[in-house]
Amino acid sequence: MSRWKELPAELDPRVRRLVVCLRRAKDHSGLSMRQLAAKTGYSASSWERYLGGRSLPPREAVEALASVTGEDPVRLLALRDVAAAARTGEHATSEARPGTAAGETVAGTAAGETVDVPVPEESGRRGGSFRTAVAASVVALVLAASSLVLVTRLTGDDEGRAQPPPVSSAAPAGAASGPSAPSYTCRVERIDGRWYAGLSRTGEAILLNGHAGKAVAEAQCLLHRAGYPPGDIDGIYGPLTERAVKRLQKRAGLVVDGIVGPHTWKVLRG
């Protein structure tokens, strides 16, 4: 497993989510930075910037990484577009400054941070300016579609996919009350040398703040068993669950990012 440098605390959460998923894809593939560069056509120094959160990778780089690691390109590209939208606000002031050329590295708003305007670098791909304009439109569409999907998906599933945060149950007097949030019971047992709570057997699902479902409840049960209470076992990944995950990751020597992935599952399963 790669020993990644901790990401800057001031990094936008949407950019952080993209970088963490790209890091996990690389770790899961077992490729070194040089091997990744050779297979994708982007230099090792570029990947160091992308995976260090200093630059936003172009869409082509994300597609190339997904191809060589076997990850779902649609999911990674959606995360990349959301991160690009977050960076758009940071670049707005910088783009207005005279003398800044397209594709040039410019100063970000975070202290000492620099980011690349998303134009492909090493492979000689052209059309950067046109692609930037198109990407802005795509980002708007992706954000609108993502919002619609989050609103319509009201229950979690076994894979821990993103769910909307719980809606307040408060209602005007006389109004019919909606269905209550699901409750989960931990039935922790040791099977073949691994811990299970009877809610999900996943060891690969990516869980983070805002997710909900049985996989989240499974992680909460196992956190409680390990001595890191996450609050109520409600299947909702909130601040208390994230804090408990970070404490577990720190003790286990993992990257402390508050995100449950394959390495954190391995520790939870024991």
Side-chain angles (χ1 to χ4, degrees), residues 159-240:
E159 296 305 318
R161 288 187 282 265
Q163 306 296 327
V167 179
S168 171
S169 59
S177 59
S180 59
S183 60
Y184 299 95
T185 301
C186 299
R187 297 183 176 88
V188 179
E189 57 182 337
R190 192 81 164 168
I191 302 175
D192 295 331
R194 296 168 66 82
W195 291 105
Y196 294 93
L199 297 170
S200 172
R201 298 184 68 86
T202 183
E204 300 290 333
I206 304 297
L207 307 177
L208 61 155
N209 202 330
H211 285 193
K214 291 183 178 180
V216 175
E218 175 82 6
Q220 290 174 329
C221 290
L222 297 180
L223 283 166
H224 195 280
R225 186 212 66 81
Y228 301 96
D232 294 335
I233 309 299
D234 54 7
I236 299 173
Y237 202 120
L240 293 178

Side-chain angles (χ1 to χ4, degrees), residues 1-9 16 20 23-24 237 241-260 263-264:
M1 170 185 150
S2 299
R3 300 295 297 177
W4 296 105
K5 183 178 180 181
E6 188 169 353
L7 294 171
R16 178 184 298 271
V20 168
R23 285 180 172 185
R24 292 191 188 281
Y237 202 120
T241 300
E242 183 178 45
R243 188 178 306 130
V245 169
K246 287 182 176 180
R247 291 173 59 203
L248 175 78
Q249 289 172 330
K250 184 176 181 180
R251 186 203 69 180
L254 301 178
V255 175
V256 182
D257 54 14
I259 297 175
V260 177
H263 298 297
T264 302

